[in-house]
């Protein structure tokens, strides 16, 4: 498409406002600052234009306009990108937050979700019918970015990833054309968006398969002293040697705040928190989860039957938007062997910031029952993932915190499978091969599909896949 320059941003704004029903914001307009605010405070980029579409027609018109006037296109769903990929200096941010409707068909067990919805909005509507689909663990995370990049949550070992439960999607492509992607319609595009990220277009609606979950689930929440991390993780490994797929768990090292809602013994205390959910009968689930409550002598134990929506929002306080500086990395391991446990236990006690944490995710179950080439999301074999989430507040500590995350991750990765979870990747210019590591054996096919649907790489503000030959 041939670009046609306009004389100024104000001229672009005026013309674009005549073409869209939704709001078009410039840097001096009310609401601009709120809409550009990133999750990660390290990223202070300022776009020229923020578009807030009311529907798919607006999104398509915005893409065509950006192409015509040679504006960089940045897509923002929930805006929770730790790598700052939902904002940019200059260009146009297409902010989908006004498109957040969720429509549930409880008979067909399907949910149609607009591209700007966040997880809490999806859970609220599906739980009305005692249904859920696998999504993440922070209620303010965007459904779109999470799903397109894979999507791990509390149901992953029972029902798989968010992308595994996608039935169809509506996609605005780089030329402004609107396509349906499903197993029957544009199946190559459907394959690519299930794990290939935002490389192939802007998804304005997702249709998900739903499963019977809740409204109450069996939940384990056990606070162990960080000094016992080695013993706890060894017991955690033994438990998952034969744990049923209904159980999904994480072992998280963090310093708990002195919050009145938390048990007093964990206030300002370094802990290794074992959290788990049983996707099935609540009473049976509490029995199955009991061994996770006895891995060592706990500081506190809040295990109980709990509303699924409460479980889904339990981590929200650790991720305030725009307040923390963040740098994350993740590595998959073939086994949680003694050396990996030693690294994680040591690093858990040496974290440079109270809100920096190391999370050991139990994988397997339904995740591993999907073939490597069945979706674009390739890492299916790993029984565990270790993620290092650096979170701090002082800009002067950036270098030290980033270096610490890299060092710990490098130790684990050296013992791992050589793959990573791109949704947990911080911006890192030293890693030009990040896409190859993240997409693994599926990268070549993804590059061919990219060349078909976005040959000029319009959608590049992401974990980018270069079009074949480009």
């Amino acid at each position: 498409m041939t670009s046609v320059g306009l004389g100024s941003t104000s001229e672009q704004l005026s013309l674009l406002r005549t073409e869209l029903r939704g709001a078009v914001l410039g840097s001096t307009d009310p609401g601009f600052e709120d809409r550009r605010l990133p999750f990660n405070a390290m990223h202070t980029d300022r776009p020229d234009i923020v578009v807030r579409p009311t529907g798919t027609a607006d999104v398509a018109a915005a893409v065509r306009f950006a192409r015509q006037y040679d504006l960089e296109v940045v897509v923002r769903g929930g805006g929770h990108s730790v790598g700052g990929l939902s904002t940019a200096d200059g260009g146009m941010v297409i902010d989908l937050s006004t498109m957040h409707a969720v429509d549930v068909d409880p008979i067909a067990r399907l949910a149609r979700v607009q591209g700007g919805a966040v997880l809490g909005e999806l859970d609220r509507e599906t739980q009305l019918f005692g249904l859920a689909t696998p999504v993440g663990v922070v209620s303010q995370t965007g459904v779109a970015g999470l799903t397109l990049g894979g999507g791990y949550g509390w149901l992953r070992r029972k029902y798989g990833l968010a992308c595994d439960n996608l039935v169809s999607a509506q996609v605005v492509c780089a030329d402004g054309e609107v396509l349906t992607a499903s197993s029957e319609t544009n199946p190559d595009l459907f394959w690519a968006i299930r794990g290939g990220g935002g490389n192939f277009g802007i998804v304005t609606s997702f249709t998900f398969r739903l499963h019977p979950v809740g409204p109450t689930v069996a939940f384990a929440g056990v606070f162990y002293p960080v000094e016992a991390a080695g013993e706890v993780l060894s017991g955690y490994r033994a438990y998952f040697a034969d744990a049923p797929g209904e159980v999904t768990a994480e072992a998280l090292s963090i310093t708990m705040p002195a919050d009145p809602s938390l048990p007093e013994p964990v206030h300002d205390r370094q802990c290794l928190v074992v959290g788990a959910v049983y996707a099935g009968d609540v009473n049976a689930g509490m029995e199955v989860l009991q061994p996770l409550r006895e891995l060592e002598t706990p500081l506190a134990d809040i295990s109980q039957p709990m509303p699924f929506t409460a479980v889904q929002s339990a981590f929200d306080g650790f991720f305030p938007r725009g307040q923390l500086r963040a740098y994350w990395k993740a590595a998959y391991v073939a086994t949680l062997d003694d050396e990996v446990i030693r690294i994680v236990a040591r690093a858990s006690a040496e974290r440079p910031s109270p809100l920096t944490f190391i999370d050991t995710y139990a994988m397997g179950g339904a995740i591993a029952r999907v073939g490597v080439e069945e979706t674009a999301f390739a890492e299916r074999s790993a029984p565990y993932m270790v993620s290092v989430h650096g979170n701090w507040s002082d800009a002067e500590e950036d270098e030290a915190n980033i270096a610490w995350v890299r060092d710990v991750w490098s130790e684990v990765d050296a013992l791992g499978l050589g793959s990573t979870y791109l949704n947990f990747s911080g911006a890192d210019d030293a890693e030009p091969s990040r896409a190859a590591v993240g997409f693994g054996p599926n990268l070549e096919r993804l590059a061919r599909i990219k060349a078909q649907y976005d040959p000029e790489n319009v959608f590049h503000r992401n974990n980018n896949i270069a079009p074949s030959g480009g």
Side-chain angles (χ1 to χ4, degrees):
M1 183 179 293
T2 302
S3 65
V4 179
L6 286 175
S8 67
T9 299
S10 62
E11 290 178 298
Q12 294 171 348
L13 289 167
S14 297
L15 183 57
L16 187 54
R17 284 170 179 146
T18 67
E19 298 191 20
L20 271 66
R21 291 183 61 208
V24 178
L25 306 177
S27 61
T28 61
D29 290 323
F32 175 86
E33 288 298 324
D34 289 341
R35 297 322 313 160
R36 75 158 195 90
L37 183 66
F39 160 68
N40 185 348
M42 289 180 69
H43 301 288
T44 57
D45 305 339
R46 294 184 64 83
D48 293 329
I49 299 171
V50 174
V51 172
R52 305 196 70 197
T54 61
T56 300
D58 272 1
V59 175
V63 169
R64 289 193 295 267
F65 186 93
R67 294 292 307 281
Q68 185 174 1
Y69 295 105
D70 199 25
L71 298 172
E72 181 180 26
V73 175
V74 182
V75 185
R76 177 174 177 147
H80 227 247
S81 168
V82 69
L85 298 176
S86 53
T87 187
D89 268 332
M92 175 195 291
V93 168
I94 300 177
D95 171 23
L96 300 177
S97 61
T98 47
M99 298 172 57
H100 58 100
V102 177
D103 181 55
V104 178
D105 182 340
I107 304 302
R109 291 186 176 175
L110 295 173
R112 185 174 181 272
V113 185
Q114 285 189 302
V118 297
L119 308 190
E121 293 168 328
L122 172 57
D123 288 330
R124 176 175 171 81
E125 298 301 325
T126 59
Q127 281 294 281
L128 179 64
F129 304 100
L131 298 171
T133 198
V135 286
V137 301
V138 177
S139 71
Q140 291 304 306
T141 303
V143 170
L146 176 101
T147 301
L148 296 174
Y152 290 129
W154 288 117
L155 303 176
R156 62 183 177 270
R157 281 175 39 86
K158 176 63 174 178
Y159 296 119
L161 280 66
C163 70
D164 296 337
N165 289 272
L166 188 63
V167 174
S168 66
Q170 188 174 68
V171 185
V172 177
C173 296
D175 59 1
E177 184 179 6
V178 180
L179 298 177
T180 295
S182 70
S183 58
E184 293 82 27
T185 306
N186 299 305
D188 54 347
L189 179 60
F190 184 56
W191 179 88
I193 64 173
R194 287 178 294 159
N199 277 281
F200 308 96
I202 302 175
V203 180
T204 56
S205 72
F206 300 79
T207 300
F208 290 101
R209 183 182 305 108
L210 301 176
H211 307 276
V213 175
T216 301
V217 294
F219 171 75
V222 193
F223 301 83
Y224 293 104
V226 76
E227 296 82 4
E231 293 81 2
V232 172
L233 289 170
S234 294
Y236 183 78
R237 174 184 62 194
Y239 177 85
F240 277 102
D242 59 0
E246 285 79 5
V247 179
T248 294
E250 301 177 18
L252 171 73
S253 60
I254 195 165
T255 301
M256 302 306 299
D259 190 307
S261 66
L262 294 170
E264 192 277 334
V266 306
H267 287 189
D268 296 319
R269 183 75 156 82
Q270 289 195 76
C271 299
L272 185 72
V273 185
V274 175
V277 169
Y278 183 89
D281 179 79
V282 174
N283 292 329
M286 293 306 301
E287 292 184 15
V288 172
L289 295 177
Q290 184 63 33
L292 291 174
R293 305 170 64 183
E294 302 170 348
L295 300 176
E296 271 291 324
T297 302
L299 297 167
D301 185 349
I302 60 171
S303 305
Q304 60 187 297
M306 187 177 289
F308 184 63
T309 52
V311 176
Q312 286 288 88
S313 59
F315 284 178
D316 286 8
F318 297 129
F319 300 98
R321 184 183 296 277
Q323 297 180 35
L324 293 177
R325 309 175 76 77
Y327 183 80
W328 301 355
K329 293 181 78 68
Y332 294 99
V333 294
T335 178
L336 197 62
D337 65 21
D338 290 347
E339 181 62 11
V340 173
I341 288 175
R342 184 194 65 77
I343 294 166
V344 173
R346 186 208 72 228
S348 293
E350 297 174 350
R351 294 170 302 106
S353 167
L355 288 179
T356 287
F357 57 88
I358 303 173
D359 204 342
T360 304
Y361 288 71
M363 299 299 190
I367 300 169
R369 291 196 289 272
V370 178
V372 170
E373 297 181 356
E374 288 186 49
T375 67
F377 193 91
E379 183 47 73
R380 298 290 181 170
S381 65
Y384 295 97
M385 179 177 73
V386 177
S387 61
V388 188
H389 296 236
N391 301 296
W392 64 97
S393 56
D394 189 343
E396 293 184 359
E397 298 175 0
D398 285 2
E399 185 176 346
N401 281 272
I402 290 171
W404 187 88
V405 171
R406 287 177 177 164
D407 287 347
V408 175
W409 170 82
S410 294
E411 287 189 74
V412 176
D413 188 59
L415 302 171
L417 296 171
S419 52
T420 193
Y421 181 43
L422 291 173
N423 276 359
F424 284 176
S425 292
D428 190 348
D429 293 336
E431 292 187 286
S433 62
R434 184 171 62 185
V437 173
F439 299 121
N442 289 333
L443 181 60
E444 184 177 342
R445 182 180 176 187
L446 284 165
R448 293 197 302 270
I449 297 172
K450 176 77 169 180
Q452 178 181 353
Y453 289 97
D454 185 14
E456 297 178 32
N457 206 7
V458 171
F459 302 115
H460 60 265
R461 187 73 174 169
N462 45 45
N463 290 300
N464 196 239
I465 298 165
S468 286

